[in-house]
Coordinates of all heavy atoms in Angstrom, one line a residue:
M1 N -48.4 -145.5 85.2 CA -48.6 -146.6 84.3 C -49.3 -146.2 83.0 O -49.0 -146.7 81.9 CB -49.6 -147.6 85.0 CG -49.8 -148.9 84.3 SD -48.4 -149.9 84.5 CE -49.0 -151.5 83.9
G2 N -50.1 -145.1 83.1 CA -50.8 -144.6 81.9 C -49.8 -144.0 80.9 O -50.0 -144.1 79.7
G3 N -48.7 -143.4 81.4 CA -47.7 -142.7 80.5 C -46.9 -143.7 79.7 O -46.6 -143.5 78.6
I4 N -46.6 -144.8 80.4 CA -45.8 -145.9 79.7 C -46.7 -146.5 78.6 O -46.2 -146.8 77.5 CB -45.3 -146.9 80.7 CG1 -44.3 -146.3 81.6 CG2 -44.7 -148.1 80.0 CD1 -43.8 -147.2 82.8
M5 N -47.9 -146.8 78.9 CA -48.8 -147.4 77.9 C -49.1 -146.4 76.7 O -49.3 -146.9 75.6 CB -50.2 -147.7 78.6 CG -50.0 -148.8 79.6 SD -49.3 -150.3 79.0 CE -50.7 -151.0 78.2
G6 N -48.9 -145.2 76.9 CA -49.1 -144.2 75.8 C -47.9 -144.2 74.9 O -48.0 -144.0 73.7
I7 N -46.7 -144.4 75.4 CA -45.5 -144.4 74.6 C -45.3 -145.8 73.9 O -44.6 -145.9 72.9 CB -44.3 -144.0 75.5 CG1 -44.5 -142.5 75.8 CG2 -43.0 -144.2 74.8 CD1 -43.4 -142.0 76.7
L8 N -45.8 -146.8 74.5 CA -45.6 -148.2 74.0 C -45.9 -148.4 72.5 O -45.1 -149.0 71.8 CB -46.3 -149.2 74.9 CG -46.0 -150.7 74.6 CD1 -44.6 -151.0 74.9 CD2 -46.9 -151.6 75.5
P9 N -47.0 -147.9 72.0 CA -47.3 -148.0 70.6 C -46.2 -147.3 69.7 O -45.8 -147.8 68.6 CB -48.6 -147.4 70.4 CG -49.3 -147.4 71.7 CD -48.2 -147.3 72.7
L10 N -45.7 -146.2 70.2 CA -44.7 -145.5 69.4 C -43.4 -146.3 69.4 O -42.7 -146.4 68.3 CB -44.4 -144.1 70.1 CG -43.4 -143.2 69.4 CD1 -44.0 -142.8 68.0 CD2 -43.2 -141.9 70.2
I11 N -43.0 -146.9 70.5 CA -41.8 -147.7 70.5 C -42.0 -148.9 69.6 O -41.1 -149.4 68.9 CB -41.5 -148.1 72.0 CG1 -41.1 -146.9 72.8 CG2 -40.4 -149.2 72.0 CD1 -40.9 -147.1 74.3
L12 N -43.2 -149.6 69.7 CA -43.5 -150.7 68.8 C -43.4 -150.4 67.3 O -42.8 -151.1 66.5 CB -44.9 -151.3 69.2 CG -45.3 -152.5 68.5 CD1 -44.4 -153.7 68.8 CD2 -46.7 -152.9 68.8
M13 N -43.9 -149.2 66.9 CA -43.9 -148.8 65.5 C -42.4 -148.6 65.1 O -42.1 -148.9 64.0 CB -44.7 -147.5 65.3 CG -46.2 -147.8 65.3 SD -47.2 -146.4 64.8 CE -46.7 -145.1 65.8
F14 N -41.6 -148.0 66.0 CA -40.2 -147.8 65.6 C -39.5 -149.1 65.5 O -38.7 -149.3 64.5 CB -39.5 -146.9 66.7 CG -38.0 -146.7 66.4 CD1 -37.7 -145.8 65.4 CD2 -37.1 -147.4 67.1 CE1 -36.3 -145.6 65.1 CE2 -35.7 -147.3 66.8 CZ -35.3 -146.4 65.8
G15 N -39.8 -150.0 66.3 CA -39.2 -151.4 66.2 C -39.6 -152.1 64.9 O -38.7 -152.7 64.2
I16 N -40.8 -152.0 64.5 CA -41.2 -152.6 63.2 C -40.6 -151.9 62.1 O -40.1 -152.5 61.1 CB -42.8 -152.5 63.1 CG1 -43.4 -153.5 64.2 CG2 -43.2 -152.8 61.7 CD1 -44.9 -153.3 64.3
L17 N -40.5 -150.5 62.1 CA -39.9 -149.7 61.0 C -38.4 -150.1 60.9 O -37.9 -150.3 59.8 CB -40.0 -148.2 61.4 CG -39.3 -147.3 60.4 CD1 -40.1 -147.3 59.1 CD2 -39.1 -145.9 61.0
W18 N -37.7 -150.3 62.1 CA -36.3 -150.7 62.1 C -36.1 -152.1 61.4 O -35.2 -152.2 60.5 CB -35.8 -150.8 63.5 CG -34.4 -151.3 63.6 CD1 -34.0 -152.6 63.8 CD2 -33.2 -150.5 63.4 NE1 -32.6 -152.6 63.8 CE2 -32.1 -151.4 63.5 CE3 -32.9 -149.2 63.1 CZ2 -30.8 -151.0 63.4 CZ3 -31.6 -148.8 63.0 CH2 -30.6 -149.7 63.1
F19 N -36.9 -153.1 61.7 CA -36.7 -154.4 61.2 C -37.2 -154.5 59.7 O -36.7 -155.4 59.0 CB -37.3 -155.5 62.1 CG -36.5 -155.8 63.3 CD1 -36.8 -155.3 64.5 CD2 -35.3 -156.5 63.1 CE1 -36.1 -155.6 65.6 CE2 -34.5 -156.8 64.2 CZ -34.9 -156.3 65.5
L20 N -38.2 -153.7 59.3 CA -38.7 -153.9 58.0 C -38.1 -153.0 56.9 O -38.1 -153.3 55.8 CB -40.2 -153.7 58.0 CG -41.0 -154.7 58.7 CD1 -42.5 -154.4 58.7 CD2 -40.8 -156.1 58.2
M21 N -37.5 -151.8 57.4 CA -37.0 -150.9 56.4 C -35.5 -150.5 56.6 O -34.8 -150.6 55.7 CB -37.9 -149.6 56.4 CG -39.3 -149.8 56.0 SD -40.2 -148.3 56.0 CE -39.5 -147.4 54.6
I22 N -35.2 -150.1 57.7 CA -33.8 -149.6 58.0 C -32.8 -150.7 58.0 O -31.8 -150.6 57.3 CB -33.8 -148.8 59.3 CG1 -34.7 -147.6 59.2 CG2 -32.4 -148.3 59.6 CD1 -34.9 -146.8 60.5
R23 N -33.0 -151.7 58.7 CA -32.0 -152.8 58.8 C -31.7 -153.5 57.4 O -30.5 -153.6 57.1 CB -32.5 -153.8 59.8 CG -31.5 -154.9 60.1 CD -31.9 -155.6 61.4 NE -31.1 -156.8 61.5 CZ -31.5 -158.1 61.4 NH1 -32.7 -158.3 61.2 NH2 -30.7 -159.0 61.6
P24 N -32.7 -153.8 56.6 CA -32.4 -154.4 55.3 C -31.6 -153.4 54.4 O -30.8 -153.8 53.6 CB -33.8 -154.8 54.7 CG -34.6 -154.9 55.9 CD -34.1 -153.9 56.9
Q25 N -32.0 -152.1 54.5 CA -31.3 -151.1 53.7 C -29.8 -151.0 54.1 O -29.0 -150.9 53.2 CB -32.0 -149.8 53.8 CG -31.5 -148.8 52.8 CD -32.3 -147.5 52.9 OE1 -33.0 -147.2 53.9 NE2 -32.3 -146.7 51.8
M26 N -29.5 -151.1 55.3 CA -28.2 -151.0 55.8 C -27.4 -152.2 55.4 O -26.2 -152.2 55.0 CB -28.1 -150.9 57.3 CG -28.5 -149.5 57.8 SD -28.6 -149.2 59.6 CE -27.6 -150.4 60.3
K27 N -28.0 -153.4 55.4 CA -27.4 -154.6 55.0 C -27.0 -154.6 53.5 O -26.0 -155.0 53.1 CB -28.3 -155.8 55.3 CG -27.7 -157.2 55.0 CD -28.7 -158.3 55.3 CE -28.1 -159.6 54.9 NZ -29.0 -160.7 55.2
K28 N -28.0 -154.1 52.7 CA -27.7 -154.0 51.3 C -26.6 -153.0 51.0 O -25.7 -153.3 50.1 CB -29.0 -153.5 50.5 CG -28.9 -153.6 49.0 CD -30.2 -153.2 48.4 CE -30.1 -153.3 46.9 NZ -31.3 -153.0 46.2
A29 N -26.5 -151.9 51.7 CA -25.5 -150.9 51.5 C -24.1 -151.5 51.9 O -23.1 -151.3 51.2 CB -25.7 -149.7 52.3
K30 N -24.1 -152.3 52.9 CA -22.8 -153.0 53.3 C -22.3 -154.0 52.3 O -21.2 -154.0 52.0 CB -23.1 -153.7 54.7 CG -21.9 -154.3 55.3 CD -22.2 -154.9 56.7 CE -21.0 -155.5 57.3 NZ -21.3 -156.1 58.6
E31 N -23.3 -154.7 51.7 CA -22.9 -155.7 50.6 C -22.4 -155.0 49.4 O -21.5 -155.4 48.8 CB -24.1 -156.6 50.3 CG -24.5 -157.5 51.4 CD -25.8 -158.2 51.1 OE1 -26.5 -157.9 50.1 OE2 -26.2 -159.1 51.9
H32 N -23.0 -153.8 49.0 CA -22.6 -153.1 47.9 C -21.2 -152.5 48.1 O -20.3 -152.5 47.2 CB -23.6 -151.9 47.6 CG -23.3 -151.2 46.3 ND1 -22.8 -150.0 46.2 CD2 -23.4 -151.6 45.0 CE1 -22.6 -149.6 45.0 NE2 -23.0 -150.6 44.2
K33 N -20.9 -152.0 49.3 CA -19.5 -151.5 49.6 C -18.5 -152.7 49.5 O -17.4 -152.5 49.0 CB -19.5 -151.0 51.0 CG -18.2 -150.3 51.3 CD -18.2 -149.7 52.7 CE -16.9 -149.1 53.2 NZ -15.7 -149.3 52.4
A34 N -18.9 -153.9 49.9 CA -18.0 -155.0 49.8 C -17.7 -155.3 48.3 O -16.5 -155.7 47.9 CB -18.5 -156.2 50.5
V35 N -18.7 -155.2 47.5 CA -18.5 -155.5 46.1 C -17.6 -154.4 45.5 O -16.7 -154.8 44.7 CB -19.9 -155.5 45.3 CG1 -19.7 -155.4 43.8 CG2 -20.7 -156.7 45.7
L36 N -17.8 -153.2 45.8 CA -16.9 -152.1 45.3 C -15.5 -152.3 45.7 O -14.6 -152.0 45.0 CB -17.5 -150.7 45.7 CG -18.9 -150.4 45.2 CD1 -19.2 -149.0 45.7 CD2 -18.9 -150.4 43.7
D37 N -15.3 -152.7 47.0 CA -13.9 -152.9 47.4 C -13.2 -154.0 46.8 O -12.0 -154.1 46.7 CB -13.9 -153.1 49.0 CG -14.3 -151.8 49.7 OD1 -14.2 -150.7 49.2 OD2 -14.7 -152.0 50.9
A38 N -14.0 -155.0 46.3 CA -13.4 -156.2 45.6 C -13.2 -156.0 44.1 O -12.8 -157.0 43.4 CB -14.3 -157.4 45.9
L39 N -13.6 -154.9 43.6 CA -13.4 -154.7 42.1 C -12.0 -154.8 41.7 O -11.1 -154.3 42.4 CB -13.9 -153.3 41.7 CG -15.4 -153.1 41.7 CD1 -15.7 -151.6 41.3 CD2 -16.1 -154.0 40.8
Q40 N -11.7 -155.5 40.6 CA -10.4 -155.6 40.0 C -10.4 -155.6 38.5 O -11.4 -155.7 37.9 CB -9.7 -156.8 40.6 CG -10.5 -158.1 40.3 CD -9.9 -159.3 41.0 OE1 -8.7 -159.3 41.3 NE2 -10.7 -160.3 41.2
K41 N -9.2 -155.4 37.9 CA -9.1 -155.3 36.5 C -9.6 -156.6 35.9 O -9.3 -157.7 36.4 CB -7.6 -155.1 36.1 CG -7.4 -155.0 34.7 CD -6.0 -154.7 34.4 CE -5.7 -154.6 32.9 NZ -4.4 -154.3 32.5
G42 N -10.4 -156.5 34.8 CA -10.9 -157.7 34.1 C -12.3 -158.0 34.5 O -13.0 -158.8 33.8
D43 N -12.8 -157.5 35.6 CA -14.2 -157.8 36.0 C -15.2 -157.2 35.0 O -15.0 -156.1 34.5 CB -14.5 -157.2 37.4 CG -13.9 -158.0 38.6 OD1 -13.5 -159.2 38.3 OD2 -13.9 -157.5 39.7
E44 N -16.3 -157.9 34.8 CA -17.3 -157.3 33.9 C -18.4 -156.7 34.8 O -18.9 -157.4 35.7 CB -17.9 -158.4 33.0 CG -16.8 -159.0 32.1 CD -17.3 -160.2 31.2 OE1 -18.4 -160.6 31.4 OE2 -16.5 -160.6 30.4
V45 N -18.8 -155.5 34.5 CA -19.7 -154.7 35.4 C -20.8 -154.1 34.6 O -20.7 -153.9 33.3 CB -18.9 -153.7 36.2 CG1 -18.0 -154.3 37.1 CG2 -18.3 -152.6 35.3
V46 N -21.8 -153.7 35.3 CA -22.9 -152.9 34.7 C -23.0 -151.7 35.6 O -23.1 -151.8 36.9 CB -24.3 -153.6 34.6 CG1 -25.4 -152.7 34.2 CG2 -24.1 -154.8 33.7
T47 N -23.1 -150.5 35.0 CA -23.2 -149.3 35.8 C -24.7 -149.0 36.1 O -25.5 -149.6 35.5 CB -22.6 -148.0 35.1 OG1 -23.3 -147.8 34.0 CG2 -21.1 -148.3 34.8
Q48 N -24.9 -148.0 37.0 CA -26.3 -147.7 37.3 C -27.0 -147.1 36.1 O -28.2 -147.1 36.0 CB -26.4 -146.7 38.5 CG -26.0 -147.4 39.8 CD -26.0 -146.4 41.0 OE1 -26.1 -145.2 40.8 NE2 -25.8 -147.0 42.1
G49 N -26.2 -146.5 35.2 CA -26.8 -146.0 33.9 C -27.1 -147.0 32.9 O -27.6 -146.7 31.8
G50 N -26.7 -148.3 33.2 CA -27.0 -149.4 32.2 C -25.9 -149.7 31.3 O -26.0 -150.5 30.3
I51 N -24.7 -149.1 31.4 CA -23.6 -149.3 30.5 C -22.8 -150.6 31.0 O -22.4 -150.6 32.2 CB -22.6 -148.1 30.5 CG1 -23.4 -146.9 30.0 CG2 -21.4 -148.4 29.7 CD1 -22.6 -145.6 30.1
A52 N -22.6 -151.5 30.1 CA -21.9 -152.7 30.5 C -20.5 -152.7 29.9 O -20.4 -152.2 28.7 CB -22.7 -153.9 30.0
G53 N -19.5 -153.2 30.6 CA -18.2 -153.2 30.1 C -17.3 -153.9 31.0 O -17.7 -154.5 32.1
K54 N -16.0 -153.9 30.7 CA -15.0 -154.6 31.4 C -14.1 -153.6 32.1 O -13.7 -152.6 31.4 CB -14.1 -155.5 30.5 CG -13.2 -156.4 31.2 CD -12.4 -157.3 30.2 CE -13.3 -158.4 29.7 NZ -12.6 -159.4 28.9
I55 N -13.7 -153.8 33.3 CA -12.8 -152.8 34.0 C -11.4 -152.9 33.5 O -10.8 -154.0 33.4 CB -12.9 -153.1 35.5 CG1 -14.2 -152.9 36.1 CG2 -11.8 -152.3 36.3 CD1 -14.4 -153.1 37.6
A56 N -10.9 -151.7 33.0 CA -9.6 -151.6 32.5 C -8.6 -151.3 33.6 O -7.4 -151.7 33.6 CB -9.5 -150.6 31.4
S57 N -9.0 -150.4 34.6 CA -8.1 -150.1 35.7 C -9.0 -149.6 36.8 O -10.1 -149.1 36.6 CB -7.1 -149.0 35.3 OG -7.8 -147.8 35.0
V58 N -8.5 -149.8 38.1 CA -9.2 -149.4 39.3 C -8.4 -148.4 40.0 O -7.2 -148.6 40.3 CB -9.5 -150.6 40.2 CG1 -10.2 -150.2 41.4 CG2 -10.2 -151.7 39.5
G59 N -9.0 -147.2 40.3 CA -8.3 -146.2 41.1 C -8.9 -146.1 42.5 O -9.7 -147.0 42.9
E60 N -8.6 -145.1 43.2 CA -9.1 -144.9 44.6 C -10.6 -144.7 44.6 O -11.3 -145.3 45.4 CB -8.4 -143.7 45.2 CG -8.7 -143.5 46.7 CD -8.1 -144.7 47.5 OE1 -7.0 -145.2 47.1 OE2 -8.7 -145.0 48.6
S61 N -11.1 -143.8 43.8 CA -12.5 -143.5 43.8 C -13.2 -143.6 42.3 O -14.4 -143.4 42.2 CB -12.9 -142.2 44.3 OG -12.2 -141.2 43.6
Y62 N -12.3 -144.0 41.3 CA -12.8 -144.1 40.0 C -12.4 -145.4 39.4 O -11.4 -146.0 39.8 CB -12.3 -142.9 39.1 CG -12.9 -141.6 39.5 CD1 -12.2 -140.7 40.3 CD2 -14.1 -141.2 39.0 CE1 -12.7 -139.5 40.7 CE2 -14.6 -139.9 39.3 CZ -13.9 -139.1 40.1 OH -14.4 -137.9 40.5
V63 N -13.1 -145.9 38.4 CA -12.7 -147.1 37.6 C -12.8 -146.7 36.1 O -13.7 -145.9 35.7 CB -13.5 -148.3 37.9 CG1 -13.3 -148.8 39.3 CG2 -15.0 -148.1 37.7
R64 N -12.0 -147.3 35.3 CA -12.1 -147.1 33.9 C -12.7 -148.3 33.3 O -12.3 -149.4 33.5 CB -10.7 -146.9 33.3 CG -10.1 -145.6 33.6 CD -8.9 -145.3 32.7 NE -8.3 -144.0 33.0 CZ -8.7 -142.9 32.5 NH1 -9.7 -142.8 31.7 NH2 -8.1 -141.8 32.9
V65 N -13.9 -148.1 32.6 CA -14.6 -149.3 32.1 C -14.5 -149.2 30.6 O -14.8 -148.2 29.9 CB -16.1 -149.1 32.5 CG1 -16.9 -150.3 31.9 CG2 -16.3 -149.1 34.0
E66 N -14.0 -150.3 30.0 CA -13.8 -150.5 28.6 C -15.1 -151.0 28.0 O -15.6 -152.1 28.3 CB -12.7 -151.4 28.3 CG -12.4 -151.5 26.8 CD -11.2 -152.4 26.4 OE1 -10.7 -153.0 27.4 OE2 -11.0 -152.5 25.2
V67 N -15.8 -150.2 27.2 CA -17.1 -150.5 26.6 C -17.0 -151.1 25.2 O -17.9 -151.7 24.7 CB -18.1 -149.3 26.7 CG1 -18.4 -149.0 28.1 CG2 -17.6 -148.1 26.0
A68 N -15.9 -150.7 24.6 CA -15.6 -151.3 23.2 C -14.1 -151.3 23.0 O -13.4 -150.7 23.9 CB -16.3 -150.4 22.1
D69 N -13.6 -151.8 22.0 CA -12.2 -151.9 21.8 C -11.6 -150.4 21.7 O -12.0 -149.7 20.8 CB -11.8 -152.6 20.5 CG -12.1 -154.1 20.6 OD1 -12.1 -154.6 21.7 OD2 -12.4 -154.7 19.6
G70 N -10.8 -150.1 22.6 CA -10.2 -148.7 22.6 C -11.0 -147.6 23.2 O -10.6 -146.5 23.2
V71 N -12.2 -147.9 23.7 CA -13.1 -146.9 24.2 C -13.3 -147.2 25.7 O -13.8 -148.2 26.1 CB -14.5 -146.9 23.5 CG1 -15.4 -145.9 24.1 CG2 -14.4 -146.8 22.0
E72 N -12.8 -146.2 26.5 CA -12.9 -146.4 27.9 C -13.6 -145.2 28.6 O -13.4 -144.1 28.1 CB -11.4 -146.5 28.6 CG -10.7 -147.7 28.2 CD -9.3 -147.8 28.9 OE1 -9.0 -146.8 29.6 OE2 -8.6 -148.8 28.7
L73 N -14.4 -145.5 29.6 CA -15.2 -144.4 30.3 C -14.7 -144.4 31.7 O -14.4 -145.4 32.3 CB -16.7 -144.8 30.3 CG -17.3 -144.9 28.9 CD1 -18.8 -145.3 29.2 CD2 -17.3 -143.6 28.2
L74 N -14.5 -143.2 32.2 CA -14.1 -143.0 33.6 C -15.4 -142.9 34.4 O -16.3 -142.0 34.2 CB -13.3 -141.7 33.8 CG -12.7 -141.4 35.1 CD1 -11.7 -142.5 35.5 CD2 -12.0 -140.1 35.1
V75 N -15.6 -143.8 35.4 CA -16.8 -143.9 36.1 C -16.5 -143.9 37.6 O -15.5 -144.5 38.0 CB -17.6 -145.2 35.8 CG1 -18.8 -145.4 36.6 CG2 -17.9 -145.3 34.3
Q76 N -17.3 -143.2 38.4 CA -17.1 -143.3 39.9 C -17.4 -144.7 40.4 O -18.4 -145.3 39.9 CB -18.0 -142.3 40.6 CG -17.6 -140.9 40.4 CD -18.6 -139.9 41.1 OE1 -19.7 -140.2 41.4 NE2 -18.0 -138.8 41.5
K77 N -16.7 -145.1 41.4 CA -16.9 -146.5 41.9 C -18.4 -146.7 42.4 O -19.0 -147.8 42.1 CB -16.0 -146.8 43.1 CG -14.7 -147.4 42.6 CD -13.9 -147.8 43.9 CE -12.6 -148.5 43.5 NZ -11.9 -148.9 44.6
P78 N -19.0 -145.8 43.1 CA -20.4 -146.1 43.5 C -21.4 -146.2 42.4 O -22.5 -146.7 42.6 CB -20.7 -144.9 44.4 CG -19.4 -144.3 44.8 CD -18.5 -144.6 43.7
A79 N -21.0 -145.8 41.2 CA -21.9 -145.9 40.0 C -22.0 -147.3 39.5 O -22.8 -147.7 38.7 CB -21.5 -145.0 38.9
V80 N -21.1 -148.2 40.0 CA -21.1 -149.6 39.5 C -22.2 -150.3 40.3 O -22.2 -150.4 41.5 CB -19.7 -150.3 39.8 CG1 -19.8 -151.8 39.5 CG2 -18.6 -149.6 39.0
A81 N -23.2 -150.8 39.5 CA -24.3 -151.4 40.1 C -24.1 -152.9 40.4 O -24.4 -153.3 41.5 CB -25.6 -151.3 39.2
T82 N -23.6 -153.6 39.5 CA -23.4 -155.1 39.7 C -22.2 -155.6 39.0 O -21.7 -154.9 38.0 CB -24.6 -155.9 39.1 OG1 -24.7 -155.6 37.7 CG2 -25.9 -155.6 39.8
V83 N -21.6 -156.7 39.5 CA -20.5 -157.3 38.8 C -21.1 -158.6 38.1 O -21.8 -159.4 38.8 CB -19.4 -157.7 39.8 CG1 -18.3 -158.5 39.1 CG2 -18.9 -156.5 40.5
L84 N -20.9 -158.7 36.8 CA -21.4 -159.8 36.1 C -20.5 -161.1 36.2 O -19.3 -160.9 36.4 CB -21.6 -159.4 34.6 CG -22.5 -158.3 34.3 CD1 -22.4 -157.8 32.9 CD2 -23.9 -158.6 34.7
P85 N -21.0 -162.2 36.0 CA -20.1 -163.4 35.9 C -19.2 -163.3 34.7 O -19.5 -162.7 33.7 CB -21.1 -164.6 35.7 CG -22.4 -164.1 36.2 CD -22.4 -162.6 35.9
K86 N -18.0 -163.9 34.8 CA -17.0 -163.9 33.7 C -17.6 -164.5 32.4 O -18.3 -165.5 32.5 CB -15.8 -164.6 34.1 CG -15.0 -164.1 35.3 CD -14.2 -163.0 34.9 CE -13.4 -162.5 36.2 NZ -12.6 -161.4 36.0
G87 N -17.4 -163.8 31.3 CA -17.8 -164.3 30.0 C -19.2 -163.8 29.6 O -19.7 -164.2 28.6
T88 N -19.9 -163.1 30.5 CA -21.2 -162.6 30.1 C -21.3 -161.7 28.9 O -22.1 -161.8 28.1 CB -21.9 -161.9 31.4 OG1 -21.8 -162.8 32.5 CG2 -23.3 -161.5 31.1
L89 N -20.3 -160.8 28.8 CA -20.3 -159.8 27.7 C -20.0 -160.5 26.4 O -20.4 -160.0 25.4 CB -19.4 -158.7 28.0 CG -19.8 -157.8 29.2 CD1 -18.7 -156.7 29.4 CD2 -21.1 -157.2 29.0
K90 N -19.2 -161.5 26.4 CA -18.9 -162.2 25.1 C -20.1 -162.9 24.6 O -20.2 -163.0 23.4 CB -17.7 -163.1 25.3 CG -16.4 -162.4 25.6 CD -15.3 -163.4 25.7 CE -14.0 -162.6 25.9 NZ -12.8 -163.4 26.0
S91 N -21.0 -163.4 25.4 CA -22.1 -164.1 24.9 C -23.2 -163.2 24.4 O -24.2 -163.6 23.7 CB -22.7 -165.0 26.0 OG -23.2 -164.2 27.1
A92 N -23.1 -161.9 24.7 CA -24.2 -160.9 24.3 C -24.0 -160.4 22.9 O -23.0 -160.5 22.3 CB -24.2 -159.7 25.3

């Protein structure tokens, strides 16, 4: 009985760590993957570096982001941080 009571706090701490840190992080990563899979031409995005632009083309692991007329940047898909609502860049 004493051995089980000694391990119980360790198990309790792992459970708390799981629900407060690991599980929310996994949920956020899953949502980000869904956003990346749904990227399509014409979406307005912001990269992790803070560059905002419109997607010109989508490849397997890269996207071309048009940041100005005739200026396109090749960016890895995971570097896309958020997808903006349509028309956001025109109002800026």
Side-chain angles (χ1 to χ4, degrees):
M1 188 77 166
I4 294 174
M5 294 303 280
I7 292 180
L8 190 61
L10 185 62
I11 293 172
L12 184 62
M13 285 191 308
F14 179 74
I16 291 171
L17 178 73
W18 175 264
F19 282 105
L20 293 180
M21 294 182 70
I22 298 171
R23 190 168 168 245
Q25 188 175 22
M26 288 178 17
K27 183 178 178 183
K28 187 174 180 180
K30 186 176 178 181
E31 290 171 356
H32 188 252
K33 184 177 179 348
V35 166
L36 295 181
D37 290 340
L39 288 177
Q40 56 186 336
K41 182 178 177 179
D43 285 346
E44 296 176 355
V45 296
V46 176
T47 66
Q48 290 177 353
I51 298 172
K54 187 180 287 190
I55 294 181
S57 66
V58 179
E60 189 67 29
S61 57
Y62 292 95
V63 294
R64 289 193 181 275
V65 179
E66 183 177 2
V67 294
D69 292 334
V71 180
E72 293 182 359
L73 301 174
L74 186 63
V75 178
Q76 290 182 332
K77 270 188 177 181
V80 174
T82 58
V83 176
L84 300 172
K86 298 277 184 185
T88 303
L89 294 179
K90 290 185 179 184
S91 64

